[in-house]
Amino acid sequence: MRSVFVFAGVLSIAASAGHAEECFTSVDIEADQAILYQTELMVVSDICRNDAYVSFLSRNTDAIRYFQKQMITHFARGGSSDAVGDLDTYTTRLANQTMLRYGGAPTASLCREKQTFMLTGGRYLDEPTLRQWAASQARANVGKYRICPAP
């Protein structure tokens, strides 16, 4: 499980991209961190032609659905009239930003650099570990989010 935390810094860069005006609960932040990780793995796996993302999806279906539902709830709570569409827009924007970030890097070099990241996501990151990781990332990155006032 130690290797799960190796890639934590990569994801914190985008943690609150596009969310500055929105407020987040602790579970919203966990969901956002998981979505960031999923998107990063999807893009890197695609660039490197690696099956890590497919393996990640097959092992983490319930957790991914949970995090997606939480983000839909987050968007709806913020007043969205199309929270599902907003989630789609958000994840598409994240994927595009990630692709642009890696677009200029030589593929072989990027894939070597991301080997541990893909191995972790593809083989070792199961649902309990993903949930634990998202919670730890939420705690580590809480300062990058605007926190919702207590009800």
Side-chain angles (χ1 to χ4, degrees):
M1 180 160 99
R2 180 170 152 70
S3 61
V4 171
F5 298 98
V6 170
F7 52 85
V10 173
L11 301 178
S12 66
I13 295 168
S16 60
H19 290 304
E21 68 286 350
E22 302 169 23
C23 74
F24 285 75
T25 65
S26 59
V27 291
D28 294 344
I29 298 171
E30 288 177 22
D32 193 47
Q33 290 295 309
I35 298 292
L36 288 165
Y37 176 79
Q38 178 185 356
T39 304
E40 179 94 7
L41 185 61
M42 177 187 69
V43 170
V44 171
S45 294
D46 184 57
I47 291 171
C48 296
R49 308 250 187 268
N50 186 294
D51 68 352
Y53 183 66
V54 173
S55 295
F56 171 81
L57 288 179
S58 69
R59 273 193 331 283
N60 292 289
T61 303
D62 290 339
I64 291 165
R65 283 189 188 127
Y66 166 80
F67 290 129
Q68 288 172 337
K69 285 179 184 176
Q70 185 58 46
M71 288 303 291
I72 290 167
T73 299
H74 163 76
F75 289 123
R77 190 178 57 248
S80 173
S81 61
D82 181 15
V84 172
D86 287 346
L87 176 61
D88 287 342
T89 299
Y90 177 58
T91 56
T92 299
R93 185 169 41 91
L94 286 176
N96 289 338
Q97 289 171 343
T98 304
M99 190 62 99
L100 286 172
R101 192 169 69 238
Y102 294 131
T107 300
S109 172
L110 173 68
C111 296
R112 273 192 307 277
E113 178 185 316
K114 295 293 188 178
Q115 190 69 32
T116 300
F117 176 73
M118 289 185 290
L119 183 65
T120 299
R123 286 196 188 157
Y124 303 115
L125 199 59
D126 59 10
E127 288 194 25
T129 308
L130 175 60
R131 288 175 186 262
Q132 181 184 27
W133 178 84
S136 73
Q137 286 305 114
R139 288 187 300 274
N141 290 291
V142 69
K144 296 178 181 169
Y145 294 86
R146 189 167 79 79
I147 306 303
C148 295

